[in-house]
Amino acid sequence: MAAFGTRWHSRPGLPAWARQPGRCPRRQRGHRDPLSRDPPRPRGACNPDALAVLCDWIDQQRQYGDSAGPWWPGYVTTGSTRPRRHRPSWCYGTAGIARAQQLAGLALRDIARQKLAENAMLAVLEDPAQRAGLPEVGLCHGRAGLLQAAWRMAVTSTDPYLAGRLHAELRGLATQLASQLVVARAASPELMDGTAGAVLALYTASAGVPVTGWDAVLCLS
């Protein structure tokens, strides 16, 4: 994390961890080889400063322009390619990004960032067209990921009004996911894309508490 602050301007306009399309080197700046025995050597800005720099870059990617609230593109490219709205999944869509932004706001005591993130999530939850873009049941790019991210945002929101609106959308979303599970009986039982993750998200929403801290693997808790 600390390295982001000092390496940010290594390439004008791009964060240090950006890479050329089609290239995925075994080891590059900002991405350590997991097999390396060398201990990491963080240097430069402290973590809050690095987090602020990351947030600033993500803010530059935020899009408006329609009635569906703020959103972030699933992919960021160079050149003249126009940003495209991704489905509201945990992996590349508003669900995961909005929760990350809410957590960043909590860490930085940035209330405006928290509220913007919560409003972005509400825009998804209150839009049937966006919710229809998640036909799968899974956590990664299905409705379970949206449900778990929305539940986490609802229970950690510090704004009673926004928290109430988020909670109000959870029941209908959980009902939709449960209906999908009935139809998807032959789906894979795995965690990320299958029924295991969907059932965990449903239990969390209905019981009001996770079975364990399992969603830490998604960086949602």
Side-chain angles (χ1 to χ4, degrees), residues 68-160:
W71 56 277
W72 298 265
Y75 304 91
V76 177
T77 61
T78 58
S80 59
T81 304
R82 294 188 61 184
R84 297 194 335 181
R85 183 195 295 274
H86 200 272
R87 56 183 173 179
S89 60
W90 164 81
C91 54
Y92 286 100
T94 298
I97 298 172
R99 173 56 173 164
Q101 287 289 285
Q102 186 197 39
L103 286 171
L106 289 166
L108 296 172
R109 299 182 181 179
D110 185 343
I111 296 175
R113 183 174 301 279
Q114 290 176 237
K115 290 186 175 183
L116 187 144
E118 290 159 14
N119 278 306
M121 176 61 86
L122 276 170
V124 170
L125 297 176
E126 295 174 349
D127 184 356
Q130 289 196 69
R131 285 166 59 159
L134 298 174
E136 295 93 346
V137 300
L139 290 168
C140 186
H141 47 263
R143 194 157 291 176
L146 176 61
L147 177 61
Q148 189 66 22
W151 180 84
R152 280 291 182 186
M153 292 187 74
V155 298
T156 54
S157 174
T158 58
D159 184 304

Side-chain angles (χ1 to χ4, degrees), residues 201-216:
L202 275 176
Y203 179 89
T204 301
S206 60
V209 61
V211 181
T212 63
W214 64 269
D215 59 347

